Amino acid sequence: MKAAVVRSFGEPLVIEERPDPEPGPGQVRIRVEASGLCHTDIHAAHGDWPVKPSPPFVPGHEGVGLVEKLGEGVTHLTVGQRVAVPWLGRACGRCEHCLSGWETLCEQQINTGYGCDGGYAEKMLAWADFAQPVPEGVSPLDAAPLTCAGVTTYKALKVAGVGPAQLVAVSGVGGLGHLAVQYAKIAGARVAAIDVTDDKLKLAADLGADILIDARTQDVGEELKRHGGAHAAIALAVNEDAFEAVNSGLRRGGKLVMVALPAHGTIRVPIFDTVLNGTSVIGSIVGTRQDLAEVFQLHADGRTRVIHETRPLEAVNEAIDEVLRGEVKARIVFDLGEGR
Ligand code: NAD
Ligand code: ZN
Ligand code: ZN
């Protein structure tokens, strides 16, 4: 099978021929049909974060495909069933976090495409309990971006407690942001979408954003305040200044939800404003299996649109460059399906 491999940080990925991986107990092997390119995969390939993967590794945590082989003890999945393999490759199921509905915080978790090989390959392994069944009516090319971009932003909005008639700022309308806009609308909120390219702002408008803010030419904080200030700001742009800008546009009691993960990122949070305005800064990491099930259900019900453009896996390095140049409509998905 073919896989795109990070051999060393910052170097182009290499397409390798590898033997099909054998599922261990509790695992399944999947024939990948579609695999999304999340900006996190770029951070992984660059070794951007304090906790690093160990090259060589196969990135990708938006892999979707058909179960091909069951490992020992797997009884709830069947060969031929379509599943998605998210960032949360497995969690322990026994710790305080797992038991309280916060498996995403499990300290024993293994992350797909980071702590084990991921979806940039024709075949991949998954722990069966964390391989999410994809419902009928959700295509693999749509399911892929939902598996990280979808579940992460859906969860971020839950964490922010967004409700109807609130103003939600979505900072960065990329892979994550284009879905964040839609989940905020589903929650009944007014949405202010912020980006630095005309195409992304137009996309946000098409997806229902009520207010568009061009961070190149407008003062984000002032614009948000002009509309009363944001009840919640979802920080998805890979840029520290963008975090500070939306934080300054919160209304009293508002919440900044940090989601993007710029390399070595730190921001300055003014103590006086935070205290006097009673604002919060919250981190949010992906979502649980239940969150992903809800994301798939919303899509199966026709309530979300996934904007993707496909590439062959062989174009992985060009695809990464396109994302970094901000040229991608929303999400690139590697098409590994039949008839590609
Ligand atoms: P992306 O590259 O598709 O989108 C980023 C968007 O931000 C682009 O539309 C870009 O034009 C825009 N942008 C750039 N500078 C800006 C600025 N100054 N102001 C406003 N917008 C700006 O990336 P993505 O795949 O959506 O991922 C975004 C970030 O989220 C990455 O850092 C990724 O690692 C992180 N992420 C976090 C989680 C989590 O669970 N916390 C999950 C997935 C991804
Ligand atoms: Zn745990
Ligand atoms: Zn991701």
Side-chain angles (χ1 to χ4, degrees), residues 5 13 20 49 73 106 132 142 161 165 180 188 192 195 204 246 279 301 320 331:
V5 180
L13 279 71
D20 288 357
W49 298 335
C106 177
Q132 184 74 37
D142 281 359
D195 209 291
V246 275
T279 56
D301 291 345
I320 286 173
R331 200 53 140 197

Side-chain angles (χ1 to χ4, degrees), residues 134-294:
V134 178
E136 284 294 313
V138 179
S139 75
L141 292 174
D142 281 359
L146 295 172
T147 301
C148 180
V151 74
T152 298
T153 50
Y154 181 70
K155 183 65 160 196
L157 287 158
K158 273 193 183 180
V159 164
V162 167
Q166 292 197 334
L167 177 63
V168 174
V170 174
S171 170
V173 189
L176 269 63
H178 92 284
L179 286 157
V181 168
Q182 299 178 63
Y183 295 127
K185 292 304 292 182
I186 289 171
R190 281 167 76 222
V191 175
I194 305 153
D195 209 291
V196 290
T197 81
D198 296 339
D199 289 347
K200 299 291 173 65
L201 291 169
K202 181 176 178 312
L203 173 65
D206 291 345
L207 294 171
D210 304 277
I211 299 162
L212 304 176
I213 303 176
D214 185 338
R216 291 168 301 187
T217 54
Q218 290 174 290
D219 182 317
V220 172
E222 287 305 314
E223 280 303 306
L224 289 171
K225 288 225 176 92
R226 211 163 58 76
H227 293 277
H231 293 84
I234 316 295
L236 305 171
V238 193
N239 180 307
E240 288 146 300
D241 293 342
F243 279 68
E244 294 185 7
V246 275
N247 189 46
S248 72
L250 290 175
R251 81 172 58 199
R252 290 197 160 194
K255 295 174 183 164
L256 171 68
V257 185
M258 291 187 167
V259 175
L261 288 153
H264 319 292
T266 50
I267 64 162
R268 291 174 65 88
V269 176
I271 295 170
F272 184 83
D273 292 346
T274 304
V275 172
L276 273 283
N277 297 336
T279 56
S280 320
V281 178
I282 312 169
S284 187
I285 178 77
V286 294
T288 63
R289 288 171 284 179
Q290 178 58 28
D291 294 319
L292 182 52
E294 293 171 22

Side-chain angles (χ1 to χ4, degrees), residues 20-34:
D20 288 357
E22 276 306 309
Q27 290 186 316
V28 292
R29 184 170 73 215
I30 294 156
R31 187 165 62 71
V32 179
E33 300 172 288

